[in-house]
Amino acid sequence: MRNWLVLLCPCAVGVALHLWLLLSCPGGPGRHPAGPLAFFPQWKLKHYDVIVGVLSARHNHELRSVIRNTWFKHLKQHPALSQRVLVKFIIGAHGCAVPVEDREDPYSCKLLNISNPVLNQEIEAFSLPEDVPSVLSEDRIVSVNFRVLYPIVITSLGVFYEADGVGFQRNITVKLYQAEHEEALFSARFSPPSCGVQVNRLWYKPVEQFILPESFEGTIVWESQDLQGLVSRNLHKVMVNDGGGVFRVITAGEGSLPHELTEGVEGIAGGFIYTIQDVIDTYRNVPAKLLNFYRWTVESTSFDLLLKTDDDCYVDLEAVFDRIMQKKLDRPNIWWGNFRLNWAVDRTGKWQELEYPSPAYPAFACGSGYVISKDIVQWLASNSERLKTYQGEDVSMGIWMAAVGPKRYQDSLWLCEKTCESGMLSSPQYSPQELSELWRLKELCGDPCRCEER
């Protein structure tokens, strides 16, 4: 009997270890959709009235510390609310030793190798060496792919052509496409009566200016409208001025332009003039991070409502609960926030959006805080791998919700700008020191905005 026990003990330990590994698997949401309940259906998850998700970056340690010592601490000590609310910070699973501003693109951890970029000065991207003659080729369509490693603005498109004293005598169209898009972002047409300006051995025409953000991938296509071919050279016979490494020419095999737009010969038949912009794009992965959090809440918790906010926001959870009770907002298909309507889509600048084709976004809630019901969170979680993400999580949420049509409850007490109002539910864009001071006044006088110290 003792021998049998000796043999069985390792087996029992192995089974227990296997179950433990399954239940604590680090693969995150989606690995085991049903979570622990798949193995022990008799278990019941703890239920919360509200789950609060606080979007935060890994390096925002001080802001998270302030939250833990202000409204989160107050919540945990509150006799009525402490067991009704679960607060979670939404942070990426893995960090990167390379600061965001020093990465080749916001989705990688590869060091961006830029040396002494000259900001806000016009730079010619391509030029022909003086000893290279301008000879017509047989190619009527020529294209080159490139990837932006640091934000630039293209101000002009150009073509190679030497007039030899007789003026510009060709009809040529130059178009710039974004990868995976069939419609050109902008274009320039060169003709004898409208040939632009000659600079060295190129002719340039100005185009509508867009900031091409970090990680933008595109293709420039030159097309002759005449029977003659273009003045073009292969990639190795053209001088490239990449501004110290702010963009890189890539081969057609590396590019992702739609097949129907990649016809023609790989090469360079002109150029473009650009400026380097002193802006940094760090927001592009936030919508995906939010979807992962929604998926986790559905798989791992039981709740009625979910509140999303940011780590730089003042939040009054007691006021939020009072509002829920007063307005009876604890019901299905509800989206409660302060909504922006007919908000124009920015094609340039910090909030540039090149993926969403409409000129205006659907209604979306300000990022300082909004509340959605469980059924909406479940829909987002179940479709998380199919939903397309856009430049910001607020506008992405508005686009996703346009497919659902929830009941929107407008409430201006979710403040959109950094202001202080009595009775506000949330207010954004504060420093750690400012958040601490707001909460000190709230605890001292019951109002973070107006307080006469006793």
Side-chain angles (χ1 to χ4, degrees), residues 253-328:
E254 295 177 277
S256 54
L257 196 72
H259 176 71
E260 59 269 22
L261 299 176
T262 59
E263 297 179 3
V265 177
E266 182 178 65
I268 296 177
F272 59 86
I273 295 176
Y274 69 97
T275 60
I276 303 172
Q277 297 296 298
D278 189 16
V279 298
I280 297 170
D281 181 2
T282 59
Y283 302 97
R284 305 286 161 167
N285 63 338
V286 174
K289 188 164 67 170
L290 191 63
L291 286 173
N292 284 334
F293 175 70
Y294 290 152
R295 201 163 60 197
W296 175 86
T297 60
V298 170
E299 294 167 2
S300 306
T301 65
S302 173
F303 63 99
D304 296 325
L305 300 170
L306 185 144
L307 188 162
K308 175 266 159 189
T309 186
D310 293 340
D311 60 6
D312 63 351
C313 294
Y314 169 90
V315 179
D316 188 339
L317 278 178
E318 283 190 78
V320 170
F321 265 89
D322 290 343
R323 202 81 164 165
I324 291 172
M325 295 300 103
Q326 291 170 5
K327 303 297 181 180
K328 296 182 171 55

Side-chain angles (χ1 to χ4, degrees), residues 26 46 51 53 87 94 127 162 166 211 215 220 222 241 247 251 264 286 302 308 344 375 382 406 419 427 441 451:
K46 178 175 172 54
I51 291 180
V87 178
H94 303 287
S127 59
E162 290 199 24
V166 297
I211 294 180
S215 76
I220 297 180
W222 293 268
N241 188 347
F247 77 92
T251 64
V286 174
S302 173
K308 175 266 159 189
D375 55 326
S382 63
T419 56
S427 183
L441 296 177
C451 182

Side-chain angles (χ1 to χ4, degrees), residues 54-57 60 63-64 66-67 71 89 283 308-315 367-368 418 426-432 434-435 438:
V54 185
L55 275 173
S56 182
N60 287 354
L63 280 169
R64 291 195 294 275
V66 167
I67 288 174
W71 62 262
F89 291 103
Y283 302 97
K308 175 266 159 189
T309 186
D310 293 340
D311 60 6
D312 63 351
C313 294
Y314 169 90
V315 179
S368 70
K418 184 181 178 180
S426 68
S427 183
Q429 302 172 2
Y430 290 101
S431 69
E434 289 171 330
L435 283 175
L438 284 173

Side-chain angles (χ1 to χ4, degrees), residues 39-57:
F39 300 99
F40 302 103
Q42 69 273 22
W43 289 5
K44 287 189 177 180
L45 295 173
K46 178 175 172 54
H47 182 82
Y48 299 95
D49 291 350
V50 175
I51 291 180
V52 180
V54 185
L55 275 173
S56 182

Side-chain angles (χ1 to χ4, degrees), residues 137-144 173-175 219-224 229-235 261-270:
S137 69
E138 297 180 356
D139 306 318
R140 296 182 60 240
I141 301 178
V142 175
S143 63
V144 65
T173 300
V174 188
K175 296 181 179 181
T219 297
I220 297 180
V221 179
W222 293 268
E223 182 174 1
S224 171
L230 297 162
V231 176
S232 65
R233 290 290 180 270
N234 67 39
L235 304 181
L261 299 176
T262 59
E263 297 179 3
V265 177
E266 182 178 65
I268 296 177

